[in-house]
């Protein structure tokens, strides 16, 4: 099959992964290609070229200007990139489009495509994406949630067509039958306030187990004010780890 995968544009789809969505998109594209499909990944310029990359934008989370101006620039970059992409897909011969973008334009323009599209919903509803889903009224577009919790949170907007949990590559994320001799907890992901790492650190201290932390510190002020003061005997920051190293720590 000829499969187009639409990524979000805030971070590259490449190791070390910024978070779970980047990991999911990377693994999906890689494994489909290994199974013999012709995959094109529509993503940012620094994404992995071995995934059949067709770059449509630079990373919108990387800004060299003030926060308010950067937010406006990112909005218009993403809008232009997705609008151009969706218009171009009208005349291309993909068998199916898989949408991981979390952006309103691909879902609201799905009815203009000659091929079916599947959108995977990775988050609860938020205003822009919810408005796009409400505008999408076509039998050519399926909505999939990554959990039953996500499906319940989207139920007031639209019933999802399926729940398909995120998968992992068991060759790279291997099962470890025996735990480490010294027990510890693990937290990994983007270090930003909404992920609640500071709460996990407090919980680890409360139960008396050390916490190993991995992930990119995307919010410097949050890391400085909330995370660094909590580091010490009960919590250790491992940095932004490669996938294999992270799998070993979690295993």
């Amino acid at each position: 099959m000829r499969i187009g995968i639409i990524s979000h544009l805030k971070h590259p789809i490449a190791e070390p992964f910024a978070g779970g969505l980047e990991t999911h998109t990377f693994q999906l594209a890689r494994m489909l290609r290994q199974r013999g499909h012709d995959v094109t990944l529509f993503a940012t310029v620094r994404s992995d070229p071995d995934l059949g990359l067709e770059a449509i934008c630079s990373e919108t989370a990387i800004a060299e200007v003030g926060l308010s101006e950067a937010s406006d620039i990112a909005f218009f970059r993403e809008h232009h990139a997705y609008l151009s992409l969706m218009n171009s897909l009208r005349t291309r011969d993909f068998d199916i489009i898989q949408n991981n973008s979390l952006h309103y334009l691909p879902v609201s323009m799905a009815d203009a495509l000659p091929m079916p599209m599947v959108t995977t919903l990775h988050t609860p509803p938020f205003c822009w994406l919810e408005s796009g889903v409400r505008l999408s009224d076509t039998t050519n577009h399926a909505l999939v949630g990554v959990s039953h919790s996500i499906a319940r949170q989207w139920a007031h907007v639209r019933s999802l067509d399926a729940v398909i949990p995120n998968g992992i590559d068991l060759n790279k994320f291997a099962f470890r039958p025996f735990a480490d001799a010294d027990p510890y907890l693990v937290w990994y992901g983007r270090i930003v306030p909404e992920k609640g790492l500071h709460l996990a650190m407090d919980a680890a201290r409360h139960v008396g187990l050390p916490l190993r932390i991995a992930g990119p510190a995307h919010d410097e002020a949050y890391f400085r004010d909330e995370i660094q003061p909590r580091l010490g005997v009960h919590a250790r920051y491992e940095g932004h780890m490669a996938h294999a190293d992270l799998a070993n720590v979690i295993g």
Side-chain angles (χ1 to χ4, degrees):
M1 295 179 67
R2 294 202 67 214
I3 303 171
I5 298 178
I6 305 176
S7 168
H8 81 95
L9 301 175
K10 298 194 181 304
H11 305 286
I13 307 303
E15 291 197 55
F17 301 117
L21 181 53
E22 293 80 14
T23 308
H24 168 83
T25 307
F26 179 95
Q27 301 285 17
L28 182 65
R30 188 174 66 86
M31 297 303 287
L32 285 171
R33 289 175 68 83
Q34 285 187 9
R35 292 187 178 196
H37 298 290
D38 183 357
V39 176
T40 301
L41 175 66
F42 300 103
T44 64
V45 294
R46 295 194 302 126
S47 297
D48 193 321
D50 292 334
L51 301 177
L53 176 64
E54 186 172 316
I56 61 172
C57 191
S58 57
E59 289 79 29
T60 58
I62 299 173
E64 298 176 355
V65 290
L67 286 177
S68 60
E69 185 180 353
S71 178
D72 292 340
I73 291 173
F75 177 88
F76 286 110
R77 279 184 184 169
E78 291 183 356
H79 182 93
H80 176 75
Y82 286 128
L83 182 61
S84 299
L85 172 62
M86 294 304 291
N87 280 325
S88 73
L89 290 177
R90 294 176 180 179
T91 59
R92 298 180 67 167
D93 58 349
F94 288 100
D95 294 304
I96 193 167
I97 300 296
Q98 202 277 332
N99 173 33
N100 275 325
S101 69
L102 301 181
H103 196 272
Y104 61 90
L105 271 177
V107 293
S108 61
M109 296 179 68
D111 59 351
L113 300 184
M115 73 289 289
M117 186 170 88
V118 177
T119 290
T120 299
L121 297 171
H122 300 263
T123 70
F126 57 90
C127 61
W128 290 102
L129 185 57
E130 180 176 334
S131 66
V133 170
R134 289 185 184 278
L135 289 172
S136 177
D137 184 20
T138 174
T139 57
N140 212 34
H141 181 208
L143 290 176
V144 170
V146 298
S147 70
H148 291 286
S149 174
I150 290 294
R152 288 192 296 270
Q153 292 176 76
W154 277 94
H156 72 284
V157 180
R158 179 175 152 183
S159 296
L160 304 192
D161 297 285
V163 171
I164 305 177
N166 287 339
I168 59 174
D169 180 358
L170 293 176
N171 293 318
K172 291 183 175 292
F173 221 98
F175 173 65
R176 294 272 298 275
F178 302 104
D180 195 273
D182 298 317
Y184 59 89
L185 305 172
V186 179
W187 186 101
Y188 61 102
R190 291 185 301 114
I191 300 176
V192 291
E194 61 266 28
K195 298 290 186 180
L197 171 57
H198 62 291
L199 301 176
M201 298 174 79
D202 292 345
R205 182 180 291 106
H206 181 72
V207 300
L209 283 173
L211 179 67
R212 297 176 68 175
I213 300 162
H218 282 163
D219 189 315
E220 294 180 3
Y222 171 68
F223 189 86
R224 180 189 65 240
D225 298 339
E226 298 289 347
I227 304 308
Q228 280 187 325
R230 289 175 165 87
L231 295 175
V233 175
H234 291 286
R236 186 173 78 208
Y237 179 47
E238 307 280 358
H240 191 184
M241 303 179 76
H243 194 61
D245 296 329
L246 179 63
N248 185 57
V249 168
I250 294 171

